[in-house]
Amino acid sequence: MRLRSGVFASSCLLVQALGVGLFLRGFFPVPVRSRSRDGALAHPPPEPPPPGFPSNWTRMPSPLFKKVVIVLIDALRDDFVFGSKGKRFMPYTTQLVEKGTSHSFIAEAKPPTVTMPRIKALTTGSVPGFIDVIMNLNSPALLEDNLIWQARAAGKRIIFYGDDTWVRLFPKQFVEYDGTTSFFVSDYTEVDDNVTRHLDHVLKREDWDLLILHYLGLDHIGHLSGPSSPLVGPKLSEMDNVIKKIHTSLLSKEDGEAALPYLLVVCGDHGMSETGSHGGSSDGEVHTPLLLISSGFDRISGSVKPPERVQQTDIAVTLAIGLGLPISRNSVGKLLLPVVQHKTMREQLRYLHLNGFQLSRLLQENMPTYEKDPGFEQFKMAEKSHGNWIKLYLEGNTSEILLNLGKKVLKQYLEALKTLSSSLSEQVAQYDMYSMIVGTVIVLEVMLLLLLSTPKALSGRAELEVPLSPLCSLLFYLMCVMLCAVHVVVCTSAESSCYFCSLSWLTALGVMVLMSGLLGVILSAVEKAFGNPRPSTKNPAAAASSWSELDVLILAGTVGHVSSLSASSFIEEEHQTWYFLVNTLCLALAQQIGRHYFLANECDLQLPSAARPISEEGKGASPHHWNDGGLAQGDLRTGTSAEHVSSSEKWMALLTPWIILVCCRLLRSLNQTGVQWAHRPDLGHWLTSSEHKAELSLLASGSLVMILILVQQRCSLVSKIAMALGLLGVYSYRAAIGNVEFPWQQDSKDISKGIVEARFVYIFVLGIIFSGTKDLLKSQVLSADTKTKFTGLWEIYSGLVLLAALLFRPHNLPVLVFCLLIQAMMTKYIWKPLECDAAQVTIMHYWFGQAFFFFQGNSNSIASVDVSAGFVGLDNYVEIPAIILTGVATYSGPFLWAIHLLCYLSSEVSRNPAAVGHGCFCYALLRSIPVTVYIILVTGFRYHLFIWSVFSPKLLYEGVHVFITAGVCTFFTAMDQNHLRKVQDR
């Protein structure tokens, strides 16, 4: 079966996307879970029985607190409370920390630091799986044992106000609730007012036992303008007033010494990075304050000690003990001892024994060799010592020996709990290896097939023959039978459930057939390539000229980048790799330009016409035609044309690589990214500070004017007008939400959500894209007009540029300007004069697209995703548009460079009809190689120390990039449907 290069590449990428999806589903683990289905400890274990004495403590301990209020402030960093901002903006809370009846901690949240997994950790005490970062946009009901379930089962009345993620996680668990959407990040006032407005009424009532308040405003401010925003201070003051109101109200309701005290818990679900986002593992994101305030605690005296570091999972078990509830089965947390230190020694030991028993049982159910675990051994020793202490206690011994032994047992329990909790947290990964292997095999087969098909796919006709005979061979049927047998054995004998085994047998059979078919085609391609080798060329000049210096650099850079993915440091600082490659490419292009214009005659002598082999399929083609290997010497083929170039164009071409280098250096200073230098101040931080709002406004307006100048040249008159009005709307939107200012805007009273202005821009975006689509349909259906097709593609590109301008933050608009400027300069002064072939142009586009991904401030951390871009122009949370807008904003760099590649190659079709097909194939190959290698590397590194903080976020980025590239290549193929006829008519 004969296929075009573009069709073949798109099909391969779609299959590879299937393999990547299957691998991701198997790689991101299911956390450790109890195998028992009967909930938490309905019948708590008795005290360790002393020798010869029965124990009468078999019941659940009584509650420590009458009512509990949890104030969860989203994105509350520890330095917002314990740092200078806390003393300035939260005086009442600071007073409670330094002189009140409270205990202060710094709770460490595990990555991913996004809301939904953190709520799970707070209520279950378990470490959620990393895949929860994706499910964060659509939180399903929580089905594992948790604090809310246990409280409801015990008859506790729970009231909730705040983030509606809780309502989705715990449906029908609250006697009263009012949820507000957490994803509309432009709103940082109403989301909190909707919570606070209930306080006066609910605090006067007695018909509740647990009150949960989840405030979102601080998180939204962080997403909009970062932790240094002038809006942070007033928001912290607002939260301080809320804490004061709740605390004073609880104190006024307590009745004397006999009644149980109230407990006020102030905490954050996660922190905030220096850019205002979250999801990663930086200190600002994982360190959150935890305040436990109650009149039952002793008042703090003496000097203030630094807050103790604890785990966020410790909160669930502490609240369970405080409310007299069973500890959740899947909890890996340990009891915070200061909360129970006012109780008797026997009660303290009882609480620690309950916690240790629950952890040891969870360890037994998840580790076959649990008896050899140090934590389990320590717990058994502590349990034995506890039994001896009970014997002395029941005998009425009140000497100092009893007290010292009790302290010793207490210390043993604490060490055992710490070790058990650590062991269970390390066991959080239970990889679905079967699904991972199937996904890896599919991805690897596709990459090998693309590599083997490269010579034919990049030939003059841009076509290749895909053999169907392997699908009828005996080997194919044997492979199908063998894979099906393996599937049956694995799915019937595996102790843990596999996702691939949960699929229907028909679906699984289809995947087996696909894998067998791909293997058969690969073997056929290998046999054809190596079984009938082509006769070696007799012309040494031709052999020497098959690779230019630029080709060698491109190949070395691509291989070098792929090799760097095996090191965590290179992944964290991947932007440095792309910056280096782009800068090196510019230097190589400067050399090629100089050789082209000043050494053209000498190059022609060095490279005679006989040195340019043309494939059999390309005979009769123009001299700009690709050779069979796909890497022609376009940069050395225009010696005579250089003589007719004007002096100004010649010097402009010589300056172009150096101008690009200057642009790249300026862009590096705009946004610090990565890990090691991300905290350092950059131009973006300077521009976004409130003191430099005028400078940011001037930069944004100038950037929008430059965008109009660079884009409008190839657009129709209607699109030019729409583009100008749309860019004006972009500035109006940013002024409406307070990022920039109009000259007549004197104060912030007019600041709004900018919904009308953003939707105004969306109208022009859709209008420009519709105009371009109309021209494309006209060129594809009615006539094969290359000019109309190119105009349509450029207008679609212009519409996407306008959309990116709307979604980019104002200080990032220069990134868009430099992107357009570099594209224009390289098109006019490098690619066309040097007549670079499609493979070279595609790789350059890919490299610059990757560099611009990092230029706009992105990194391989989830924290750098600008979630606020997904809610531009929305007055409430709408899932699909929010996901699409966030994806467009994040991948604007690679996406815009890919569409520009299609525009450029389409303009070259008159010179070489195979250009678009070659570009599509190269683009698919460039994406296939790194994702395949990285999947194999991640499988080997799945127990690496940095697997969740470094390798896993990068894996998500790679997976999403594959899906985007598959869509782009499909669009390439649709635009190349008239290629075959043109090739045949040449």
Side-chain angles (χ1 to χ4, degrees):
M1 180 173 62
R2 185 169 290 275
L3 292 177
R4 290 177 288 146
S5 297
V7 174
F8 178 75
S10 301
S11 302
C12 285
L13 267 185
L14 291 173
V15 174
Q16 193 166 54
L18 169 66
V20 170
L22 189 58
F23 179 86
L24 291 177
R25 182 60 180 81
F27 177 80
F28 290 108
V30 178
V32 290
R33 294 288 184 262
S34 173
R35 298 178 188 174
S36 179
R37 300 178 178 271
D38 55 352
L41 291 173
H43 303 287
E47 276 184 322
F53 287 85
S55 174
N56 59 351
W57 271 34
T58 59
R59 57 181 174 81
M60 183 64 64
S62 302
L64 304 178
F65 307 102
K66 181 178 181 181
K67 295 181 186 293
V68 175
V69 179
I70 300 176
V71 180
L72 194 157
I73 304 174
D74 210 295
L76 185 66
R77 299 199 329 186
D78 61 325
D79 59 336
F80 284 174
V81 175
F82 303 130
S84 58
K85 286 186 178 179
K87 294 182 178 180
R88 180 182 177 187
F89 298 111
M90 305 185 74
Y92 187 81
T93 305
T94 301
Q95 184 181 7
L96 290 175
V97 170
E98 296 179 348
K99 299 179 181 179
T101 55
S102 66
H103 294 296
S104 303
F105 306 93
I106 294 178
E108 181 180 347
K110 297 293 185 184
T113 47
V114 290
T115 297
M116 192 267 284
R118 304 278 48 86
I119 294 176
K120 286 185 176 182
L122 287 168
T123 56
T124 65
S126 62
V127 181
F130 198 91
I131 199 63
D132 284 332
V133 72
I134 296 177
M135 299 170 63
N136 189 50
L137 293 175
N138 184 22
S139 308
L142 183 59
L143 300 179
E144 65 178 287
D145 184 28
N146 59 78
L147 181 71
I148 304 300
W149 280 10
Q150 293 301 327
R152 185 64 185 272
K156 305 287 184 183
R157 293 156 296 180
I158 311 171
I159 295 179
F160 170 78
Y161 303 118
D163 184 355
D164 61 357
T165 302
W166 289 77
V167 180
R168 296 195 297 271
L169 285 173
F170 309 106
K172 301 179 181 180
Q173 299 298 312
F174 305 118
V175 296
E176 182 180 320
Y177 65 88
D178 184 10
T180 56
T181 179
S182 60
F183 293 106
F184 186 52
V185 297
S186 298
D187 175 23
Y188 51 84
T189 54
E190 293 183 14
V191 286
D192 289 346
D193 292 342
N194 286 336
V195 178
T196 305
R197 65 189 177 92
H198 297 284
L199 279 182
D200 291 333
H201 175 64
V202 76
L203 289 175
K204 295 177 182 178
R205 295 158 46 186
E206 295 290 338
D207 60 342
W208 57 270
D209 301 290
L210 178 60
L211 174 63
I212 304 173
L213 309 172
H214 189 151
Y215 285 92
L216 291 163
L218 184 63
D219 178 67
H220 290 186
I221 290 173
H223 284 299
L224 287 172
S225 49
S228 301
S229 170
L231 299 172
V232 169
K235 179 58 66 175
L236 292 177
S237 298
E238 178 186 342
M239 296 296 99
D240 189 56
N241 291 330
V242 169
I243 294 170
K244 180 179 180 180
K245 175 184 288 190
I246 296 173
H247 185 235
T248 54
S249 175
L250 294 180
L251 288 177
S252 65
K253 295 166 71 74
E254 293 186 353
D255 305 323
E257 298 181 358
L260 289 175
Y262 291 70
L263 175 66
L264 172 60
V265 181
V266 180
C267 61
D269 57 343
H270 52 74
M272 185 187 301
S273 69
E274 292 302 320
T275 60
S277 190
H278 54 88
S281 56
S282 65
D283 287 346
E285 295 167 82
V286 301
H287 291 155
T288 63
L290 172 61
L291 305 181
L292 303 175
I293 307 165
S294 174
S295 60
F297 301 149
D298 295 331
R299 185 170 294 275
I300 298 173
S301 60
S303 59
V304 180
K305 297 180 180 179
E308 180 186 351
R309 294 282 180 90
V310 298
Q311 296 297 315
Q312 195 178 62
T313 51
D314 299 341
I315 300 176
V317 59
T318 303
L319 291 178
I321 295 294
L323 290 168
L325 302 174
I327 301 173
S328 301
R329 281 188 176 275
N330 300 319
S331 172
V332 298
K334 54 188 184 297
L335 176 65
L336 300 177
L337 188 63
V339 178
V340 299
Q341 277 183 336
H342 62 286
K343 307 299 286 185
T344 65
M345 179 61 71
R346 186 180 186 186
E347 289 174 313
Q348 292 183 48
L349 293 178
R350 173 63 170 157
Y351 298 141
L352 294 175
H353 177 251
L354 285 173
N355 192 186
F357 182 84
Q358 176 265 325
L359 290 175
S360 63
R361 190 181 66 172
L362 187 62
L363 186 73
Q364 293 179 47
E365 296 176 348
N366 287 275
M367 184 183 292
T369 58
Y370 67 90
E371 293 179 347
K372 298 180 181 180
D373 185 80
F376 186 81
E377 294 176 351
Q378 291 174 355
F379 173 70
K380 288 302 180 182
M381 290 177 60
E383 198 174 39
K384 184 177 180 180
S385 299
H386 189 184
N388 294 330
W389 185 91
I390 293 292
K391 178 181 179 180
L392 291 176
Y393 178 83
L394 294 178
E395 289 175 348
N397 193 326
T398 58
S399 65
E400 183 123 359
I401 298 176
L402 183 67
L403 178 62
N404 291 335
L405 181 60
K407 291 180 179 179
K408 179 183 177 182
V409 177
L410 197 71
K411 185 177 180 180
Q412 287 179 325
Y413 268 135
L414 290 176
E415 292 177 353
L417 292 180
K418 182 178 180 180
T419 309
L420 283 169
S421 178
S422 178
S423 298
L424 287 166
S425 298
E426 292 174 358
Q427 292 294 318
V428 69
Q430 292 183 350
Y431 296 102
D432 180 359
M433 287 303 300
Y434 184 45
S435 299
M436 288 171 59
I437 291 172
V438 173
T440 302
V441 169
I442 294 175
V443 170
L444 184 61
E445 286 181 334
V446 170
M447 186 197 72
L448 292 175
L449 188 57
L450 286 171
L451 287 173
L452 291 170
S453 305
T454 299
K456 284 293 182 180
L458 296 182
S459 64
R461 298 178 64 87
E463 292 179 348
L464 66 158
E465 188 71 30
V466 179
L468 297 180
S469 56
L471 302 182
C472 302
S473 65
L474 178 61
L475 176 64
F476 170 75
Y477 294 112
L478 289 176
M479 281 297 303
C480 288
V481 172
M482 186 182 71
L483 291 176
C484 289
V486 170
H487 183 72
V488 171
V489 171
V490 171
C491 294
T492 55
S493 62
E495 295 182 0
S496 60
S497 60
C498 299
Y499 171 74
F500 192 57
C501 293
S502 66
L503 299 177
S504 66
W505 280 98
L506 187 61
T507 303
L509 179 61
V511 174
M512 302 297 175
V513 171
L514 176 64
M515 293 168 62
S516 303
L518 286 173
L519 180 62
V521 174
I522 289 172
L523 293 176
S524 178
V526 170
E527 181 183 4
K528 186 175 294 185
F530 299 99
N532 299 307
R534 296 179 181 179
S536 59
T537 177
K538 298 180 180 180
N539 190 338
S545 67
S546 60
W547 290 83
S548 70
E549 295 170 358
L550 186 61
D551 294 330
V552 173
L553 169 64
I554 287 174
L555 178 62
T558 303
V559 173
H561 167 254
V562 173
S563 302
S564 71
L565 297 178
S566 60
S568 60
S569 299
F570 277 98
I571 293 175
E572 290 178 333
E573 309 296 329
E574 187 183 0
H575 60 287
Q576 301 285 7
T577 302
W578 288 113
Y579 295 166
F580 172 78
L581 291 178
V582 167
N583 292 343
T584 307
L585 176 63
C586 289
L587 294 176
L589 290 175
Q591 179 198 30
Q592 296 281 25
I593 287 288
R595 179 184 298 175
H596 173 72
Y597 283 113
F598 295 102
L599 301 176
N601 294 331
E602 182 180 346
C603 286
D604 283 343
L605 292 174
Q606 294 175 355
L607 185 65
S609 58
R612 300 188 209 114
I614 300 177
S615 65
E616 288 296 324
E617 296 179 350
K619 288 182 179 179
S622 68
H624 311 298
H625 182 40
W626 277 252
N627 61 35
D628 196 49
L631 292 170
Q633 300 301 311
D635 54 334
L636 303 179
R637 293 181 297 205
T638 55
T640 56
S641 62
E643 301 173 359
H644 305 290
V645 178
S646 65
S647 177
S648 60
E649 289 189 10
K650 188 179 297 185
W651 285 106
M652 193 62 199
L654 289 172
L655 288 175
T656 292
W658 305 103
I659 294 174
I660 295 174
L661 280 174
V662 172
C663 293
C664 292
R665 187 63 191 88
L666 291 174
L667 288 173
R668 290 183 64 173
S669 302
L670 187 61
N671 293 299
Q672 290 284 3
T673 185
V675 174
Q676 295 185 14
W677 296 280
H679 63 282
R680 294 187 178 181
D682 52 35
L683 190 57
H685 285 97
W686 185 84
L687 288 168
T688 53
S689 63
S690 57
E691 296 84 6
H692 304 108
K693 196 171 183 179
E695 290 86 345
L696 178 61
S697 302
L698 183 62
L699 178 67
S701 57
S703 299
L704 293 174
V705 172
M706 285 298 300
I707 291 172
L708 177 62
I709 294 173
L710 291 169
V711 167
Q712 56 84 31
Q713 297 177 1
R714 298 183 180 92
C715 296
S716 62
L717 179 61
V718 175
S719 295
K720 290 179 181 179
I721 297 173
M723 191 74 185
L725 293 175
L727 292 172
L728 180 62
V730 170
Y731 191 88
S732 301
Y733 165 73
R734 289 298 171 183
I737 65 174
N739 294 143
V740 298
E741 57 187 10
F742 282 120
W744 57 85
Q745 191 176 14
Q746 301 298 328
D747 51 40
S748 59
K749 293 181 179 179
D750 297 330
I751 292 178
S752 67
K753 298 176 182 177
I755 295 174
V756 175
E757 292 83 354
R759 290 179 177 177
F760 177 80
V761 179
Y762 284 138
I763 292 174
F764 291 109
V765 170
L766 294 175
I768 296 173
I769 293 178
F770 176 79
S771 176
T773 305
K774 180 193 68 176
D775 289 338
L776 281 180
L777 291 175
K778 181 179 178 181
S779 66
Q780 297 288 92
V781 178
L782 299 180
S783 64
D785 186 1
T786 305
K787 183 178 180 181
T788 303
K789 176 181 178 180
F790 177 74
T791 302
L793 283 173
W794 187 260
E795 290 193 343
I796 290 178
Y797 177 74
S798 303
L800 295 174
V801 169
L802 178 57
L803 177 61
L806 175 65
L807 300 179
F808 273 24
R809 297 192 180 188
H811 76 278
N812 262 342
L813 287 175
V815 177
L816 202 53
V817 173
F818 283 128
C819 174
L820 297 171
L821 180 63
I822 292 173
Q823 288 172 353
M825 295 184 70
M826 294 195 73
T827 299
K828 185 173 182 179
Y829 298 113
I830 293 182
W831 295 325
K832 288 187 181 294
L834 294 182
E835 295 184 2
C836 296
D837 60 34
Q840 294 171 337
V841 173
T842 301
I843 295 174
M844 291 183 207
H845 273 82
Y846 181 81
W847 282 18
F848 273 100
Q850 293 297 104
F852 271 85
F853 174 82
F854 294 104
F855 281 145
Q856 67 185 82
N858 291 321
S859 69
N860 286 325
S861 170
I862 302 298
S864 61
V865 177
D866 184 9
V867 181
S868 63
F871 307 93
V872 174
L874 303 180
D875 54 3
N876 53 41
Y877 174 61
V878 185
E879 184 175 353
I880 300 302
I883 293 175
I884 293 175
L885 292 176
T886 303
V888 170
T890 303
Y891 288 91
S892 288
F895 191 61
L896 289 178
W897 278 89
I899 301 301
H900 184 271
L901 172 64
L902 179 57
C903 293
Y904 174 80
L905 294 179
S906 296
S907 68
E908 296 289 289
V909 166
S910 58
R911 189 186 73 175
N912 193 317
V916 176
H918 287 170
C920 180
F921 184 87
C922 290
Y923 198 71
L925 187 60
L926 286 170
R927 186 87 290 275
S928 175
I929 294 175
V931 74
T932 304
V933 173
Y934 191 70
I935 280 178
I936 296 173
L937 288 172
V938 167
T939 303
F941 292 158
R942 63 187 181 277
Y943 297 115
H944 194 280
L945 179 63
F946 302 133
I947 186 63
W948 300 121
S949 59
V950 178
F951 290 101
S952 293
K954 171 65 175 173
L955 182 61
L956 285 178
Y957 277 109
E958 289 291 321
V960 174
H961 204 169
V962 168
F963 288 103
I964 292 176
T965 306
V968 169
C969 285
T970 302
F971 186 53
F972 269 61
T973 304
M975 295 300 101
D976 193 33
Q977 66 177 10
N978 294 325
H979 136 271
L980 182 58
R981 179 175 55 82
K982 293 182 179 180
V983 172
Q984 292 173 341
D985 293 343
R986 282 184 308 166

